[in-house]
Amino acid sequence: MSDLYENIRAIIDDPRSAALVTESGYTPANGPGKPIAPPTYAGDEPGKSRFAYTDAAFIPVADERGWHSRIRRDEQGSPVTAPQVVVNSTPAESGRAEEAAWMSERRIFGKTPTWPGITVTKPSDDVIGAAIDAAITKTKVGSETAERIRAEALDVFEEFEVSTWTLAHRQADAWIKYANDPGGKQIWQGGTIRELITRAGASDGDTLYSNFVNAGTFGMWLSSGVARRHRIPRAYSSEIVGFEARPIQRAATKLDVAGGAAKETALNTVDGGLVEAKGHKPSDMGFGPVPTSPHDAAFACGAVLQQGSISIPVFRSFQFDDDRDRRKQSAAAAVFTLLAITGHELAAEDGFLRSECNLVRESARWGWRRASATGASGIEELDVSDADTAAAALLAAVEAAAEVGLQFADPITVQMSPVQAAVVAERVARETAKSTGSDE
């Protein structure tokens, strides 16, 4: 039996256990202090994006045991502040961990499929064809662009696949609710799958565990369109932050070695081809130099730290049938907890977050905290050596849960509904038409 599994069960069964905690130190792949590009978010002004930047934030410092549980203070004991920037947000980290576990089924279980959940795939060829024809009619394009739309859309439909493990709202997501059930009507119009979704919650832990185990760890909110509303908080919370962050300005000018074009020249595109016609300046179409003004584009950070936690009380709120001795609750909590740990460790193996943000994990540690704990940091160490150790413990937890009557249900596959197909087809049609100039 896995030592990590046994330790997690002991932590869960201790009524004073409050949370597992973790932290990792990162450096840019090209060296400490090198610029990295944080994510951007929609700004107050249309077309302008912003970083999640705070100009006066507390600076965490390590205690005598290495945990960053204190804040830097000056000689008078007052907190010292410095700028910080979010390198990867809590929702993004949750998604990374969840998808890493979803994509590693074979590594965890030795076979696939194993994880329960709902997957939405492309509809029938007839539905696809009708959706594409309708989208082409709406965009009013020429024959050449119409064929280009058809080819692009067919490729998109062929690759389409989303699931309760990859969608932001899991089983409550619109792509799930309005997909077609095996009977041919939309899931949210009624039936067995809708009943599963509306039952699964803290008050029906059996259904939640069996069909949507990831929602028990990463949270979900079924907030509308139903009498039974479920809101499960995200038990796993993690964020990567750059401390003592300094903005780095960048600018670039694209030169045209062919000599460019006169600014008075007017250009446009029709059916994908370039024509001389009123509409755009040459620089809009990629001719001539294209300058940019210097702007904040990256940050150099004194330290990049990931800190996270797994809230054990969340799992204690789940209720199970025929469970007066709480054996089911404890077994399920071990699975929920180890799913978070395994997903976290799997995600940490890939430090490439986005262009110009490739991080290397320099240090990592896990621990757990009890209510009213004493001692440095109040954190007791927990040995989690790597993702494979976590995966072995997770497999042991799943097997132990099966022994008390908690089984994963078979995965469910459904097809996109005609209305969803129309949404996809029209998006592809309008994007393709815009790129060819056919909607001018």
Side-chain angles (χ1 to χ4, degrees), residues 161-425:
E161 183 178 291
V162 295
S163 80
T164 49
W165 286 77
T166 58
L167 291 165
H169 297 103
R170 300 173 183 87
Q171 66 266 30
D173 201 277
W175 286 105
I176 300 292
K177 295 195 297 185
Y178 304 115
N180 272 6
D181 68 17
K185 65 180 181 180
Q186 292 179 16
I187 288 172
W188 224 232
Q189 292 179 311
T192 303
I193 300 176
R194 186 185 194 278
E195 179 65 16
L196 283 177
I197 294 172
T198 57
R199 279 170 46 200
S203 60
D204 189 346
D206 296 81
T207 301
L208 179 70
Y209 178 91
S210 295
N211 294 276
F212 310 112
V213 63
N214 56 314
T217 297
F218 300 104
M220 61 83 63
W221 187 14
L222 184 61
S223 60
S224 61
V226 289
R228 290 175 289 181
R229 298 182 179 183
H230 302 296
R231 188 170 188 172
I232 299 173
R234 182 188 290 120
Y236 167 78
S237 177
S238 174
E239 187 178 47
I240 303 179
V241 174
F243 295 95
E244 300 175 297
R246 297 290 185 269
I248 304 295
Q249 289 209 335
R250 288 179 173 163
T253 296
K254 178 254 182 188
L255 300 177
D256 191 338
V257 296
K263 63 181 180 179
E264 292 80 10
T265 300
L267 298 173
N268 213 325
T269 56
V270 175
D271 282 342
L274 184 70
V275 297
E276 287 190 79
K278 183 179 179 181
H280 298 283
K281 299 180 293 184
S283 59
D284 294 338
M285 309 302 296
F287 295 98
V290 182
T292 61
S293 300
H295 60 284
D296 292 346
F299 286 80
C301 303
V304 178
L305 187 66
Q306 179 181 25
Q307 294 178 303
S309 65
I310 303 168
S311 176
I312 296 173
V314 170
F315 307 140
R316 294 187 182 128
S317 70
F318 299 155
Q319 301 173 27
F320 296 85
D321 291 337
D322 190 23
D323 193 38
R324 290 187 177 182
D325 57 5
R326 297 181 180 267
R327 289 197 305 159
K328 281 186 176 181
Q329 185 186 77
S330 178
V335 175
F336 293 137
T337 300
L338 283 160
L339 171 55
I341 294 174
T342 303
H344 180 97
E345 290 299 312
L346 287 167
E349 293 180 344
D350 181 8
F352 183 81
L353 301 181
R354 66 191 65 86
S355 180
E356 295 188 80
C357 191
N358 188 17
L359 302 177
V360 176
R361 196 185 197 192
E362 298 281 356
S363 62
R365 58 176 55 209
W366 282 88
W368 62 288
R369 304 186 69 170
R370 289 188 296 177
S372 305
T374 58
S377 312
I379 300 175
E380 299 187 36
E381 300 288 334
L382 178 67
D383 183 19
V384 182
S385 55
D386 54 31
D388 288 324
T389 299
L394 173 58
L395 178 58
V398 171
E399 292 172 345
E403 293 176 1
V404 297
L406 291 173
Q407 297 275 0
F408 288 158
D410 291 335
I412 298 170
T413 300
V414 297
Q415 289 186 338
M416 189 188 299
S417 68
V419 178
Q420 290 176 326
V423 171
V424 172

